[in-house]
Amino acid sequence: MKIHYLLLFIILATSAAALDVGYTITMYAADVNGTSTTDSQTISEECDDDTCAYAIPSFTPAEGFTPVNYTLSFTSSDEYTVYFGSTKTTFTQLSDDSIVVKIIPPALVCNENECDKECVVCSDKACHEPGFACTEQLTIEKITPNATDLGITQINLLIRNTGTVGLKDLSAEITGDGITTLESTPLERLSAGEKDYLFIKINASKSGNIDLVIKISREGALKDKLVGQIVVKKAQEQPKEDFNTTEITNRLTAVRESYRQLEVDFQNKKVEGYSVDFLEDTVRNINEYIDSTQGYILEGDYKRALITVQLAEENLKDVTQQLVGVKKQEETLGDKIRSNLIYIGSIAAAIVSVLTAYGLIKTHVERDKEKIARLKEKLGEKLKKEKKKRKKKKKVEPVTEGS
């Protein structure tokens, strides 16, 4: 029973893979007089292989006619093509020729969006056409610097991806006689054909021409070992400088005293109207140099103290000389005009104030006059009324006997 099921499965699978193919073959025949005739047959076949071959079907030409040639025609398809075996074309003169059906395999798609199973996929997951060679390879093009001093320094490795596969998460470690790696900055990605730097911090404890072993890791796993060389120079002892601390201290004291006098002279010139504003920054710098010298002496940095006290002395000398030649500021025509305008403006403002006050007083006086006039008028009317009343009263009084 199991065998029957297996055979059935094979038959079904085979039939499912078969391709229906259709084509038309036409026979051309002629008689001795050159008269031609044709006969056609349309054929349907099942092709279950890459290439299938069939015999030319039998044709029965009319009496007196002989087959001359055969042609093939079929509906254009992306799945198959049809031709005669001897000519590899759709034309033949052989009646016993074969008809070949060639199955066209589907076109492969090998790109980042679609990758058929026949494509080549490299370790960087990139999809390529069949036959593509996946090569992972790195080379070091430059090591900078090629010479360094003892101690901690940074080495820059210029690496190039000379393979065909993109590489990710690259890091390096450098070892050698007296050379140890302290830190490595990884490179996230390096595409095929591109170059970039790896930065490695090393500690060199031995001088000389040192052979280096450079280990390149990819995604945390050691992949490449390359070699290089670097020169580690011997440390040179710097000669100690002797400074006369007493001399520096004495110079600082002298500069400070001279600066005090200079500051007095500067301020006096300024008050007296001399043009000294252009020296103000330099005077301020002298004071800063003096303060810096004092600080360096306290720190024991006599080299810097000597430099700053010299700067203070030079600036002090320059400002002293320039103060001698400064001139008083001359009042320009513009200054005079501005002064006069201010004076005229003050007078005008005073006049306006006086006129305003006069106007206010005059207004009040006129108002008072009007009030007095109205009072006089009212008083006069009242007196007239009282006078009339007295006259009427005298006329009305009776005459007595004794009068």
Side-chain angles (χ1 to χ4, degrees):
M1 181 65 98
K2 291 182 178 179
I3 295 174
H4 291 305
Y5 279 128
L6 180 59
L7 289 173
L8 179 61
F9 175 77
I10 293 172
I11 292 169
L12 291 172
T14 304
S15 63
L19 181 66
D20 292 331
V21 178
Y23 57 90
T24 299
I25 182 168
T26 302
M27 177 200 70
Y28 290 85
D31 61 9
V32 293
N33 298 321
T35 303
S36 63
T37 185
T38 61
D39 190 9
S40 299
Q41 293 185 37
T42 298
I43 309 296
S44 293
E45 305 281 2
E46 282 190 355
C47 182
D48 56 5
D49 204 348
D50 293 341
T51 304
C52 300
Y54 308 98
I56 294 177
S58 298
F59 287 92
T60 305
E63 186 177 351
F65 284 85
T66 303
V68 176
N69 56 56
Y70 301 87
T71 61
L72 286 169
S73 63
F74 60 95
T75 303
S76 178
S77 171
D78 294 333
E79 297 180 316
Y80 64 91
T81 186
V82 183
Y83 54 86
F84 289 111
S86 64
T87 62
K88 308 299 182 187
T89 67
T90 57
F91 176 85
T92 185
Q93 294 177 330
L94 302 176
S95 60
D96 60 348
D97 209 339
S98 61
I99 300 170
V100 178
V101 175
K102 179 71 174 178
I103 304 300
I104 302 172
L108 286 177
V109 180
C110 304
N111 55 46
E112 59 182 8
N113 298 319
E114 186 176 352
C115 188
D116 292 338
K117 63 179 181 180
E118 292 84 0
C119 304
V120 176
V121 180
C122 299
S123 60
D124 60 351
K125 309 302 181 185
C127 184
H128 303 277
E129 299 291 335
F132 183 85
C134 299
T135 305
E136 299 181 11
Q137 187 174 347
L138 278 174
T139 57
I140 295 178
E141 293 197 350
K142 188 188 295 183
I143 301 176
T144 54
N146 56 13
T148 185
D149 296 323
L150 290 168
I152 297 174
T153 189
Q154 177 176 295
I155 301 298
N156 309 314
L157 296 180
L158 180 60
I159 60 174
R160 182 184 290 277
N161 184 349
T162 51
T164 60
V165 179
L167 304 175
K168 296 189 299 182
D169 193 19
L170 298 172
S171 60
E173 179 185 2
I174 297 177
T175 58
D177 189 9
I179 302 292
T180 54
T181 295
L182 302 178
E183 183 181 335
S184 175
T185 302
L187 186 60
E188 185 176 349
R189 182 176 178 81
L190 188 64
S191 300
E194 292 186 352
K195 60 182 178 180
D196 208 338
Y197 279 96
L198 281 172
F199 304 105
I200 304 97
K201 187 181 290 185
I202 66 167
N203 184 28
S205 59
K206 186 176 180 180
S207 61
N209 295 329
I210 308 298
D211 293 324
L212 302 176
V213 176
I214 303 166
K215 300 175 183 179
I216 307 292
S217 296
R218 286 178 256 156
E219 299 183 65
L222 179 62
K223 294 292 184 179
D224 301 279
K225 278 189 178 183
L226 307 170
V227 295
Q229 193 176 69
I230 192 171
V231 177
V232 180
K233 295 178 288 186
K234 292 181 179 180
Q236 297 182 354
E237 292 186 3
Q238 298 293 332
K240 292 184 178 180
E241 296 184 69
D242 293 328
F243 295 98
N244 189 331
T245 57
T246 303
E247 179 188 353
I248 295 173
T249 303
N250 290 339
R251 289 172 67 175
L252 175 62
T253 302
V255 168
R256 185 180 285 113
E257 292 297 327
S258 299
Y259 173 74
R260 290 172 182 169
Q261 184 58 47
L262 172 70
E263 194 172 25
V264 172
D265 295 341
F266 177 79
Q267 294 299 332
N268 289 338
K269 293 281 188 181
K270 191 172 184 179
V271 171
E272 293 170 4
Y274 286 88
S275 301
V276 294
D277 290 343
F278 71 98
L279 295 173
E280 193 164 355
D281 290 340
T282 308
V283 173
R284 190 183 303 110
N285 290 340
I286 296 171
N287 188 42
E288 291 176 358
Y289 290 139
I290 291 172
D291 292 341
S292 298
T293 303
Q294 182 65 52
Y296 290 139
I297 291 174
L298 294 174
E299 294 171 3
D301 191 347
Y302 295 104
K303 182 177 182 179
R304 290 188 177 182
L306 180 59
I307 293 172
T308 51
V309 77
Q310 288 174 344
L311 290 171
E313 290 171 340
E314 291 171 3
N315 281 270
L316 183 65
K317 182 179 178 181
D318 291 342
V319 174
T320 302
Q321 292 175 350
Q322 291 182 68
L323 275 179
V324 174
V326 294
K327 297 180 180 180
K328 282 190 175 182
Q329 295 181 355
E330 295 182 0
E331 190 175 23
T332 63
L333 178 61
D335 295 334
K336 291 178 180 179
I337 292 172
R338 281 193 293 272
S339 298
N340 290 332
L341 287 175
I342 293 170
Y343 178 70
I344 292 168
S346 300
I347 293 174
I351 292 171
V352 170
S353 299
V354 171
L355 291 174
T356 302
Y358 173 75
L360 292 172
I361 294 169
K362 184 178 179 182
T363 301
H364 284 294
V365 169
E366 289 177 353
R367 287 178 182 174
D368 291 341
K369 284 181 178 180
E370 290 177 0
K371 288 181 180 179
I372 293 169
R374 285 197 295 270
L375 289 172
K376 284 182 177 181
E377 186 178 349
K378 289 180 180 180
L379 184 59
E381 291 176 355
K382 189 175 182 180
L383 290 173
K384 287 179 180 180
K385 288 179 181 180
E386 289 180 357
K387 189 174 181 181
K388 287 179 180 180
K389 285 181 181 181
R390 283 197 298 269
K391 286 182 179 180
K392 288 180 180 181
K393 189 176 182 181
K394 286 181 179 180
K395 290 179 181 181
V396 175
E397 287 180 358
V399 180
T400 60
E401 292 181 357
S403 58

